[in-house]
């Protein structure tokens, strides 16, 4: 790789890492937010007798956003659980190839879902789909969060494949675990 | 190619990807996608996003991140340490006392929420570090929380029993009542096993590694015991708040989980003074990581389930079993085997939706009480939550304690899986254990 | 000609062809009869309880052709095709017979056009009535709901209840039981069959049935993906439509039988059973006109026309 390419790559992966960390905070805050909204809803209904018609849906929306926004951060933090039993069985050389293929497969899935979700979000936008409830939030919002989250996740996989898997195959060293 | 061959290939491919080292969520999604491409009409690919969305568009799932947050927040403070120190001082003479305290903690959380991963998340975040600090093996600490967490769907309220009740037209109230005695008894059996294991680990420590934390000779005066009590007050208040909110009808179990999480936040900020960004950000990121991991598995598992259902694999397996025309007890046995096998791969609600309509007529014709069978089915589903390769509670533990390997967790839950299998046999021999309490209310 | 297997999905409890939820039985009867009349050229796989596609999403799956058939509450698709909310408009349909006459009236032709434009075909016209389970006092007239935490279950019903002075409360269907038990809900409104299968009689004190009048009529036809329909031979299409139409009587009679069974089940559980008379219905309709109907007319370009067509069905 040329020096410029390497610099650009570093800039890209660094920016992605920072963005994903923010997404991690956002995801945690969304969980806290839904706890607060739910508590407010419960109190308003029980003590003031005035239930809301949007609280539950808002919380579900926040939950979906929270899940997908944190996906790439969770990958970077190596917190997407996997089964690591094979690790001890195969020789190190084979393991490097195995992890590369696992990452390529997962990246393929995530990329496919991301593309699918963007198309679906666009469809929901152009058709004006809403949730059929009194509050009636627009459906492109949750689909958009799925699309955004899966895109970030795919990019994070790309970084992981280049920086860890390919690098470890080239140098023969071990970088990180699955 | 017949449905049977396709089914075997599907599960085989799932095993291959699961063991390839790919994260569980993406392995499940990957197999589903590959089989969609290979065997299903292309328009199914259009449904992927909506399938993921429709699974997460579910209010009761919210309890999982909320309880994960609760566990993370309380685990960050001295509250958990205080709680376990108190349990330790009061119960230190009893072998395995801390483990037993954890099993009972799981039972209390089970009575508050209808979901097993949520129970596991709330208890694991606090319990596992405390047990390891006091010398418990990784296997025992992880295994007992994973297994104790499964009580969430047996001890009422229970989401699984609600779904079963609606599908089989059984009284949900009666199912709830029927779950009480077997739930408490199972917790007691777990506790006995934990005591036995703790004695064994202590003996092993005496034989080999001297100086283990388990061997530390201790004595606590009554004064030392009593002085722990005031520090339990905030925690007791939180539990009381949730219980009152639940049973006084402030909200449904899922909504009350929100009250509990907000209460936990207030508790750690106001009483334990955790308000600095440095501390809060760890709670936030921990919550984000663990709930994202679990929710992604749940969403992708639904894609996996969708393909399995579309290819009619699950339903055909159940129909084939029904068609064999077995005797009463053989039928019950093989139904449980089928549920157990499916439980290795699929989440409980999906299994109930796909399998019960097919197997139920045979269960009724054989003269089994549907309420009793609902409890047996639920215990079987509990096993599925801790059987590898796909067991949600195993993953919750892995998220909470990343330095415990998956293999250690699996080794830790094995005895509990055996216990639950034997427990089902016990309930078959003595159905009164289930039916006694509901029969009283007639 | 090779045999085809069609997938039918629905959200209701699964049973057998002779026993259980009539909506499941109806689908099984359809499958059996079509299979017989096509000499096994058409076979069916039935997915009850939402075990293939989740309830709401069945519409999208039929529209894109990945799901062949469903017995589907049409108003669930109202978020995508707002006109379809007319399938659960409060106090619009006045009786089973009048609902079934939509089929041959202008409103039926218009509804058929709208769903076919989206890629779905109506095979069997089915209406089902619903009632109210309540923990506190009986609910017959609009003034009875004042201040009650009430689950309407749909946007239009919530509008009506709100206009009548209730507090519409959003509870997912899997939690209605717990909500009625703990008092989160004072009352719930849904179909007679679901009032029975959700087992709310375990916690309710009163039930208002649809034996006389009700403002809750839901259109839940058996539907087929147009893509799947177009793949059938003309002979098979004819059989599908004929068998579909032949089941309409069974649907109406079973739905009506469930209105009666609702009364039996709840009274056996010790609850008081009530009915809604013409005068109470008229009051509800007045409120519906000013709330849910008005909103439908204002939001949807041809909303007023659709409502007028529906009302004009004798
Ligand atoms: Na529970
Ligand atoms: Na499992």
């Amino acid at each position: 790789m040329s020096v410029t390419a390497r610099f650009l790559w570093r800039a890209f992966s660094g920016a992605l890492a920072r963005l994903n960390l923010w997404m991690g905070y956002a995801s945690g805050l969304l969980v806290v937010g839904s706890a607060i909204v739910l508590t407010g809803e419960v109190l308003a209904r029980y003590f003031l007798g005035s239930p809301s018609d949007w609280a539950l849906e808002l919380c579900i929306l926040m939950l979906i956003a929270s899940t997908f926004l944190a996906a790439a951060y969770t990958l970077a933090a190596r917190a997407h659980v996997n089964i690591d039993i094979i690790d001890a069985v195969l020789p190190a050389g084979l393991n490097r190839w195995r992890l590369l293929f696992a990452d390529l497969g997962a990246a393929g899935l995530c990329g496919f879902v991301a593309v699918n979700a963007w198309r679906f979000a666009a469809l929901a936008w152009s058709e004006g789909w809403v949730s059929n409830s009194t509050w009636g939030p627009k459906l492109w919002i949750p689909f958009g969060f799925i699309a955004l989250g899966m895109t970030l996740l795919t990019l994070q996989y790309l970084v992981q494949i280049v920086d860890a898997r390919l690098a470890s195959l080239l140098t023969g060293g071990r970088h990180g675990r699955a | 190619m017949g449905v049977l061959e396709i089914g075997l290939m599907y599960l085989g491919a799932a095993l291959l990807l699961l063991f390839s080292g790919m994260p569980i969520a993406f392995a499940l999604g990957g197999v589903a996608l590959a089989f969609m491409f290979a065997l299903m009409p292309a328009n199914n690919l259009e449904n992927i996003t909506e399938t993921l969305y429709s699974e997460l568009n579910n209010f009761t799932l919210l309890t999982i991140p909320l309880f994960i947050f609760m566990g993370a927040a309380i685990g960050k403070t001295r509250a958990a340490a205080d709680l376990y120190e108190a349990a330790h001082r009061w119960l230190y003479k009893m072998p395995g006392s801390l483990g037993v305290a954890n099993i009972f903690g799981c039972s209390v959380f089970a009575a508050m929420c209808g979901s097993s991963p949520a129970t596991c998340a709330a208890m694991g975040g606090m319990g596992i570090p405390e047990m390891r600090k006091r010398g418990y093996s990784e296997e025992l600490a992880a295994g007992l929380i994973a297994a104790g967490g499964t009580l969430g769907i047996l001890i009422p309220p229970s989401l699984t029993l609600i779904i079963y009740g609606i599908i089989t037209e059984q009284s949900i109230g009666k199912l709830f009542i029927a779950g009480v005695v077997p739930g408490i008894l199972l917790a007691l059996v777990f506790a006995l096993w934990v005591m036995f294991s703790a004695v064994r680990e202590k003996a092993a420590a005496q034989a080999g590694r001297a100086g283990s934390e388990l061997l530390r000779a201790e004595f606590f005066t009554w004064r030392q015991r009593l002085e722990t009590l005031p520090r339990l007050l905030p925690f007791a208040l939180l539990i009381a708040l949730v219980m009152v909110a639940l049973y006084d009808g402030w909200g449904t179990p899922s909504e009350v989980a929100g009250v509990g999480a907000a209460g936990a936040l207030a508790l750690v900020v106001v009483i334990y003074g955790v308000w600095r960004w440095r501390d809060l950000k760890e709670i936030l990121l921990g919550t984000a990581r663990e709930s994202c991991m679990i929710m992604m598995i749940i969403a992708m598992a639904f894609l996996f389930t969708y393909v399995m259902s579309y290819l009619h694999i699950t339903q055909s397996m159940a129909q084939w079993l029904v068609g064999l025309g077995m005797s009463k007890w053989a039928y019950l046995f093989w139904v449980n085997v089928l549920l157990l096998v499916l439980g290795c791969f699929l989440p409980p609600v999906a299994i109930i939706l796909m399998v019960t309509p097919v197997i139920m007529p045979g269960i009724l014709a054989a003269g089994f009480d549907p309420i009793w069978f609902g409890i047996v089915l639920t215990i079987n589903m509990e096993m599925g939550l801790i059987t590898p390769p796909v067991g949600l509670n195993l993953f919750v533990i892995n998220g909470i304690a990343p330095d415990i390997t998956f293999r250690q967790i699996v080794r830790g839950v094995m005895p509990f899986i055996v216990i639950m299998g034997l427990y089902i046999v016990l309930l078959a021999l003595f159905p009164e254990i289930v039916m006694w309490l509901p029969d009283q209310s007639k | 000609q090779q045999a085809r297997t069609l997938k039918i999905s629905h959200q209701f409890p699964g049973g057998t062809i002779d026993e259980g939820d009539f909506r499941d039985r109806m689908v099984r009867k359809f499958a059996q009869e079509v299979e017989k009349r096509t000499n096994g050229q058409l076979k069916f796989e039935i997915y009850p309880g939402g075990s293939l596609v989740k309830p709401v999403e069945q519409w999208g799956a039929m529209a894109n052709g990945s799901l062949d058939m469903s017995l589907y509450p049409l108003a669930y698709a109202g978020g995508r095709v707002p006109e379809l909310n007319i399938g659960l408009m409060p106090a619009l349909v006045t009786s089973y017979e009048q609902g079934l006459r939509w089929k041959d009236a202008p409103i039926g032709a218009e509804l058929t056009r709208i769903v076919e434009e989206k890629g779905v075909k109506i095979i069997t016209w089915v209406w089902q009535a619903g009632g109210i389970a309540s923990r506190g006092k009986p609910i017959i007239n609009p003034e009875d709901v004042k201040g009650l935490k009430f689950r309407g279950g749909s946007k239009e019903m919530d509008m009506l209840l709100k206009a009548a002075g209730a507090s519409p409360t959003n509870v997912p269907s899997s939690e209605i039981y717990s909500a009625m038990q703990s008092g989160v809900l004072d009352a719930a409104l849904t179909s007679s069959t679901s009032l029975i299968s959700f087992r709310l009689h375990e916690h309710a004190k009163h039930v208002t049935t649809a034996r006389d009048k009700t403002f809750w009529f839901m259109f839940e036809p058996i539907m087929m993906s147009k893509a799947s329909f177009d793949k059938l031979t003309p002979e098979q299409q004819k059989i599908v439509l004929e068998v579909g139409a032949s089941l309409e009587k069974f649907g109406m009679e079973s739905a009506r039988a469930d209105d009666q069974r609702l009364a039996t089940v709840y009274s056996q559980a010790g609850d008081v059973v009530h009915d809604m008379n013409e005068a109470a219905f008229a009051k509800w309709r007045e409120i519906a006109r000013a709330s849910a109907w008005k909103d439908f007319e204002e939001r949807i370009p041809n909303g007023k026309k659709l409502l007028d067509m529906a009302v004009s069905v004798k």
Side-chain angles (χ1 to χ4, degrees):
Chain A
M1 249 194 299
S2 76
V3 178
T4 326
R6 202 168 293 189
F7 173 79
L8 285 178
W9 176 255
R10 288 265 173 286
F12 165 70
S13 61
L16 188 67
R18 274 193 302 280
L19 177 62
N20 284 338
L21 184 64
W22 290 338
M23 291 296 170
Y25 290 131
S27 166
L29 283 172
L30 283 165
V31 174
V32 176
S34 61
I36 292 170
V37 170
L38 278 176
T39 308
E41 210 260 328
V42 165
L43 296 180
R45 187 176 58 211
Y46 188 77
F47 293 104
L48 310 176
S50 58
S52 78
D53 46 23
W54 47 265
L56 293 200
E57 268 191 297
L58 176 63
C59 287
I60 291 173
L61 217 61
M62 288 161 95
L63 165 75
I64 291 174
S66 161
T67 300
F68 284 91
L69 289 184
Y73 162 71
T74 307
L75 179 68
R78 309 212 173 279
H80 280 299
V81 173
N82 65 340
I83 299 177
D84 51 13
I85 293 175
I86 300 289
D87 220 33
V89 183
L90 292 184
L94 266 179
N95 267 331
R96 283 196 286 273
W97 283 102
R98 173 177 64 86
L99 291 177
L100 175 65
F101 283 117
D103 276 9
L104 284 173
L109 166 79
C110 298
F112 187 89
V113 174
V115 171
N116 195 276
W118 281 120
R119 283 182 37 209
F120 211 69
L123 187 65
W125 172 290
S126 64
E127 299 271 310
W129 291 346
V130 297
S131 159
N132 198 26
S133 61
T134 317
W135 185 41
K138 301 260 189 296
L139 282 183
W140 63 263
I141 300 172
F143 298 151
F145 277 121
I146 297 178
L148 177 61
M150 293 309 280
T151 305
L152 291 173
L153 181 59
T154 312
L155 293 176
Q156 182 63 37
Y157 255 120
L158 204 66
V159 168
Q160 177 167 310
I161 288 167
V162 172
D163 282 357
R165 304 293 176 238
L166 291 183
S168 89
L169 276 173
L170 291 177
T171 62
R174 291 202 54 178
H175 287 267
R177 60 184 184 97
Chain B
M1 216 173 4
V3 176
L4 179 69
E5 287 83 0
I6 293 177
L8 289 176
M9 275 173 54
Y10 192 58
L11 296 184
L15 282 177
L16 199 70
L17 279 199
L18 285 166
F19 281 97
S20 75
M22 202 184 279
I24 308 288
F26 310 134
L28 292 171
V31 182
L33 190 64
F35 274 69
M36 270 191 185
F37 265 116
L39 297 173
M40 290 161 60
N43 44 23
N44 278 283
L45 295 170
E46 302 300 311
N47 293 349
I48 289 181
T49 305
E50 209 179 11
T51 305
L52 297 175
Y53 167 75
S54 73
E55 175 63 8
L56 293 184
N57 183 14
N58 175 345
F59 184 61
T60 46
L61 275 183
L62 256 184
T63 54
I64 296 177
L66 292 172
F67 278 107
I68 286 175
F69 170 76
M70 204 193 262
I74 293 175
K76 188 85 192 92
T77 64
R78 257 193 22 250
D82 284 348
L83 185 69
Y84 286 101
E85 184 61 30
H88 182 59
R89 286 189 190 184
W90 283 87
L91 302 168
Y92 71 100
K93 283 182 185 155
M94 187 175 92
S97 56
L98 211 54
V100 173
N102 270 294
I103 293 285
F104 287 110
C106 283
S107 311
V108 171
F109 264 97
M112 301 198 298
C113 75
S115 143
S116 288
T119 307
C120 207
M123 282 309 295
M126 303 179 279
I128 293 179
E130 292 295 323
M131 282 190 283
R132 293 173 75 190
K133 212 165 73 189
R134 289 184 175 78
Y136 282 61
S137 70
E138 280 76 15
E139 284 84 355
L140 183 59
L144 77 91
I145 295 284
T150 67
L151 293 169
I153 56 170
L154 182 59
I155 297 176
S158 151
L159 196 59
T160 312
L161 286 175
I162 291 183
I163 307 263
Y164 175 85
I166 289 177
I167 290 200
T168 61
E169 307 193 345
Q170 294 305 313
S171 160
I172 297 164
K174 218 166 158 187
L175 283 165
F176 277 8
I177 294 172
V180 173
V181 173
I184 294 173
L185 189 61
L186 186 57
L188 286 173
V189 175
F190 283 170
L192 279 177
W193 171 258
V194 169
M195 286 170 72
F196 172 74
S197 306
V199 170
R200 223 173 41 171
E201 284 189 359
K202 197 166 172 179
Q206 271 161 345
R209 322 168 265 132
S212 156
E213 197 55 35
L214 283 174
L215 297 177
R216 213 174 66 195
E218 275 177 307
F219 177 76
F220 294 105
T221 61
W222 279 103
R223 196 191 142 83
Q224 282 170 316
R225 291 179 182 183
L226 288 170
E227 74 188 12
T228 61
L229 290 186
R231 281 189 271 157
L232 295 187
L233 198 65
F235 207 77
L237 278 177
L238 181 63
I239 300 272
L241 171 76
V242 171
M243 287 289 190
V244 168
L246 187 60
Y247 291 98
D248 194 34
W250 296 16
T252 61
S254 325
E255 289 172 325
V256 168
V259 177
L265 181 65
L267 188 78
V268 302
V269 172
V270 176
I271 300 191
Y272 293 97
V274 179
W275 48 265
R276 275 187 303 275
W277 176 239
R278 203 182 44 195
D279 300 322
L280 289 178
K281 78 179 191 187
E282 268 184 58
I283 298 175
L284 291 179
L285 289 180
T287 306
R289 280 195 303 268
E290 284 154 34
S291 32
C292 168
M293 179 266 290
I294 282 293
M295 303 310 283
M296 285 293 262
I297 292 177
I298 289 175
M300 291 293 177
F302 188 63
L303 203 58
F304 183 81
T305 308
Y306 172 69
V307 172
M308 200 153 161
S309 193
Y310 189 93
L311 297 174
H312 219 247
I313 297 169
T314 328
Q315 289 86 346
S316 298
M317 281 161 90
Q319 275 159 4
W320 172 75
L321 189 66
V322 169
L324 292 182
M326 284 174 284
S327 70
K328 173 177 175 176
W329 293 104
Y331 183 63
L332 182 70
F333 175 78
W334 286 109
V335 160
N336 271 290
V337 171
L338 173 72
L339 292 172
L340 194 61
V341 171
L342 292 174
C344 288
F345 294 92
L346 300 174
V349 171
I351 298 178
I352 295 178
L353 290 178
M354 287 191 280
V355 174
T356 32
V358 184
I359 60 166
M360 221 40 211
I363 291 289
L364 296 174
F368 293 111
D369 189 298
I371 298 280
W372 172 84
F373 182 71
I375 301 301
V376 166
L377 176 96
T378 303
I379 296 170
N380 199 310
M381 296 295 100
E382 285 187 80
M383 292 163 81
L385 288 164
I386 54 172
T387 48
V390 182
L392 280 185
N393 282 17
L394 304 177
F395 307 142
V396 174
I397 300 291
N398 207 324
I400 288 166
D403 54 327
I404 303 183
T405 65
F406 192 72
R407 203 198 314 208
Q408 285 173 315
I409 301 174
V410 170
R411 217 181 298 146
V413 297
M414 278 307 164
F416 291 96
I417 296 175
V418 174
I419 288 174
M420 284 194 244
L422 294 175
Y423 193 69
I424 290 181
V425 175
L426 180 79
L427 296 189
L429 293 176
F430 302 102
E432 304 82 38
I433 299 173
V434 178
M435 298 310 295
W436 177 77
L437 196 58
D439 283 347
Q440 300 305 302
S441 59
K442 257 183 197 161
Chain C
Q1 173 83 33
Q2 217 190 332
R4 295 172 56 87
T5 302
L6 300 177
K7 293 176 186 297
I8 314 184
S9 145
H10 66 74
Q11 72 196 79
F12 308 104
T16 64
I17 197 159
D18 298 314
E19 255 175 90
D21 195 301
F22 86 88
R23 297 162 293 195
D24 179 66
R25 290 179 57 205
M26 202 157 137
V27 166
R28 286 176 200 277
K29 278 175 180 291
F30 174 84
Q32 190 187 54
E33 189 61 23
V34 171
E35 189 172 336
K36 200 174 89 191
R37 287 190 46 190
T38 58
N39 296 317
Q41 285 297 302
L42 292 183
K43 289 186 185 308
F44 296 88
E45 278 167 359
I46 297 166
Y47 292 87
S51 56
L52 182 62
V53 188
K54 300 260 163 159
V56 174
E57 282 73 18
Q58 295 174 109
W59 171 264
M62 275 191 291
N64 73 23
S66 57
L67 172 66
D68 299 306
M69 298 185 73
S70 172
L71 191 152
Y72 184 76
L74 195 59
Y76 283 11
R80 299 208 172 169
V81 189
E83 289 89 344
L84 300 185
N85 280 317
I86 200 165
L88 187 53
M89 190 59 67
L92 180 61
V93 169
T94 52
S95 71
Y96 283 106
E97 287 80 3
Q98 193 229 11
L100 269 188
R101 282 195 288 273
W102 277 33
K103 185 180 179 181
D104 301 313
I107 179 72
E110 183 62 8
L111 211 51
T112 302
R113 186 190 66 75
I114 293 170
V115 298
E116 290 198 5
E117 207 167 76
K118 300 290 174 188
V120 183
K121 236 183 128 52
I122 301 176
I123 304 293
T124 309
W125 288 66
V126 189
W127 284 92
Q128 183 171 23
I132 302 164
S134 97
R135 314 168 84 227
K137 51 182 182 177
I139 292 163
I140 296 152
N141 288 298
E143 49 272 26
D144 298 331
V145 304
K146 202 160 265 348
L148 295 187
K149 287 169 282 182
F150 212 127
R151 183 191 188 266
S154 82
K155 180 166 66 176
E156 277 71 21
M157 291 297 164
D158 279 350
M159 282 180 193
L160 169 76
L161 292 170
K162 196 169 190 171
S167 301
T169 303
N170 194 346
V171 173
S173 63
S174 61
E175 296 210 334
I176 300 180
Y177 179 88
S178 319
M180 280 290 271
Q181 179 175 30
S182 62
V184 172
L185 283 181
D186 297 309
L189 170 63
T190 184
S191 73
S192 300
T193 320
S194 293
L195 280 174
I196 298 169
S197 63
F198 289 170
R199 314 200 64 86
L200 302 183
H201 48 276
E202 291 173 18
H203 302 295
K205 295 274 178 300
H206 299 272
V207 67
T208 312
T209 80
R211 288 180 300 183
D212 187 359
K213 286 279 165 193
T214 179
F215 58 80
W216 198 99
F217 265 105
M218 182 163 81
F219 186 44
E220 43 183 19
I222 297 182
M223 310 188 80
M224 191 169 194
S225 163
K226 228 172 148 324
S228 309
F229 187 79
D230 292 341
K231 285 194 197 113
L232 304 180
T233 65
E235 179 61 18
Q236 290 170 341
Q237 291 180 341
K238 187 166 157 273
I239 293 173
V240 162
L241 291 176
E242 278 174 14
V243 173
S246 76
L247 283 168
E248 276 157 9
K249 185 156 168 280
F250 171 80
M252 182 172 85
E253 283 169 0
S254 309
R256 192 171 262 151
D258 272 357
D259 298 338
Q260 184 60 49
R261 194 161 66 95
L262 175 67
T264 317
V265 168
Y266 276 63
S267 73
Q268 272 167 3
D271 304 336
V272 189
V273 180
H274 309 270
D275 295 302
M276 183 180 292
N277 61 20
E278 186 70 51
F281 175 80
K283 282 194 247 174
W284 282 107
R285 192 171 212 185
E286 221 33 64
I287 299 175
R289 263 185 217 285
S291 54
W293 295 23
K294 183 156 166 278
D295 174 77
F296 189 78
E297 286 168 7
E298 283 169 0
R299 250 179 343 102
I300 296 162
N302 57 343
K304 172 120 181 56
K305 194 179 111 203
L306 285 170
L307 284 174
D308 288 344
M309 281 172 157
V311 172
S312 71
V313 177
K314 287 291 158 260

